[in-house]
Amino acid sequence: MGLLETLLDVVGTSAGEVAIEAPGDGPGYWAGGPSGIYSDGAYWLAYRLRRPVDLGRGYANVVARSTDGVHFETVATVTSEQFGCASLERPALVRLPDGGWRLYVSCSTWNSKHWWVEALDAATPDGLAEGTRTVVLPGDAATAWKDIVVTNADGQWRIWACRHPLDGGDEEADRMTSWFGTSADGLSWSMTGAALVPTEGSWDARGTRIADVLRLDEQWVAFYDGRASAAENWHERTGVAVGADPARLRASAGPTPEGRTVRYLSVVEEPGSYRVYWESSRPDGAHDLRTAKVPRPASESQSS
């Protein structure tokens, strides 16, 4: 079994262990939306905490540190009140070229389907909550942006952002495509177009939201969330898309089995192996943030 199949099998069978428990019991209480990196000999994880819709939805993004990849200590927390938004979605955590840190946050506009994305910059992770703020994807009357994936390698900033259409009415606003863009600084982005779109009549016909991207064997590999209908909103499953061009990806493998929510897969590359984080439903309807370690196949090369 290759790496991609192994990763899908691990998250699809709910293997591994709980890294962050849901903040409550029952439907609507979620810990998830992880964005992980391995840096300075430690695991760093940004994730989202959510309550049910009538209790405030996504109320916090947390940045935490771990020495073993499983047990985390909080170093910074940002809240929806801080951004004056109705809800926070999945964050994205990156190291800056100068050694600093950046946290991207997705913010929901009150009484609207509109979302925008801001960045927080700080010299250290514990300073991110009070970091310098910059709006990076404001959106407009026709477009909402959220749930971004950002990489910075070889002097090139790349982004894959979930786009929701706002010009088709509320009944269409849950549709998702993933767009690709580039930047010189990770703040001012040029969005070039859709990198991954739904497949008509398939399990991802209603939406394709990229959750993480790796560079493997000269190909770009994206793990993405998909749903077949509006009724599957909040209950997405995970698939894989590949391509020679980061702006042009096609569905390749998956999805994870029916009956369990598996979404927001984040793959952390560490010495000799990968550690994967994902959001998974449990029997009472809450979502935990889970993790598992997967050895790096000797037969597969990797570059970034």
Side-chain angles (χ1 to χ4, degrees), residues 18-24 30-31 49 282 287-289:
V18 174
I20 308 294
E21 291 187 353
W30 304 342
L49 293 175
R282 65 190 198 195
H287 292 184
D288 290 330
L289 197 165

Side-chain angles (χ1 to χ4, degrees), residues 14-293:
S14 200
E17 52 196 316
V18 174
I20 308 294
E21 291 187 353
D25 297 326
Y29 286 101
W30 304 342
S35 172
I37 61 175
Y38 184 81
S39 180
D40 298 334
Y43 301 86
W44 300 88
L45 189 66
Y47 60 90
R48 179 198 191 212
L49 293 175
R50 182 192 189 274
R51 303 186 185 103
V53 171
D54 58 348
L55 296 177
R57 295 167 61 197
Y59 64 93
N61 283 171
V62 178
V63 178
R65 180 185 183 275
S66 171
T67 57
D68 64 5
V70 180
H71 304 93
F72 283 88
E73 178 182 3
T74 297
V75 298
T77 302
V78 299
T79 67
S80 55
E81 288 83 3
Q82 182 177 340
F83 288 86
C85 63
S87 178
L88 293 175
E89 260 290 353
R90 178 186 184 265
L93 181 67
V94 299
R95 289 299 303 267
L96 299 175
D98 64 2
W101 294 76
R102 179 174 294 160
L103 182 69
Y104 295 93
V105 294
S106 299
C107 305
S108 172
T109 301
W110 285 96
N111 303 313
S112 170
K113 299 294 185 180
H114 176 265
W115 293 82
W116 80 93
V117 179
E118 291 197 35
L120 286 165
D121 284 10
T124 60
D126 58 359
L128 284 168
E130 293 79 35
T132 302
R133 289 174 55 174
T134 306
V135 175
V136 297
L137 292 177
D140 53 35
T143 302
W145 298 107
K146 64 185 184 77
D147 297 334
I148 68 173
V149 175
V150 176
T151 65
N152 175 26
D154 303 322
Q156 176 69 71
W157 286 86
R158 299 178 178 90
I159 191 172
W160 294 266
C162 182
R163 180 187 184 274
H164 289 261
L166 301 182
D167 51 0
D170 286 356
E171 67 278 4
E172 295 296 311
D174 71 291
R175 292 186 180 274
M176 303 184 298
T177 55
S178 290
W179 280 47
F180 178 74
T182 58
S183 172
D185 59 7
L187 297 174
S188 178
W189 292 96
S190 174
M191 305 303 292
T192 61
L196 182 64
V197 299
T199 305
E200 185 175 354
S202 185
W203 70 276
D204 61 0
R206 189 75 177 182
T208 49
R209 176 178 60 209
I210 290 177
D212 205 355
V213 180
L214 300 178
R215 183 76 165 143
L216 294 170
D217 296 326
E218 304 305 319
Q219 287 204 29
W220 295 91
V221 177
F223 297 92
Y224 74 98
D225 305 332
R227 56 174 178 253
S229 66
E232 292 183 357
N233 187 13
W234 303 344
H235 305 289
E236 292 85 5
R237 294 182 287 159
T238 293
V240 175
V242 300
D245 184 339
R248 297 287 184 272
L249 303 170
R250 56 178 177 78
S252 173
T256 49
E258 292 184 282
R260 180 184 293 114
T261 300
V262 175
R263 62 185 200 163
Y264 293 121
L265 183 66
S266 178
V267 182
V268 176
E269 302 179 56
E270 58 185 12
S273 62
Y274 295 88
R275 179 165 286 281
V276 59
Y277 297 91
W278 72 99
E279 182 180 323
S280 181
S281 59
R282 65 190 198 195
D284 70 349
H287 292 184
D288 290 330
L289 197 165
R290 303 186 68 87
T291 185
K293 194 168 194 173

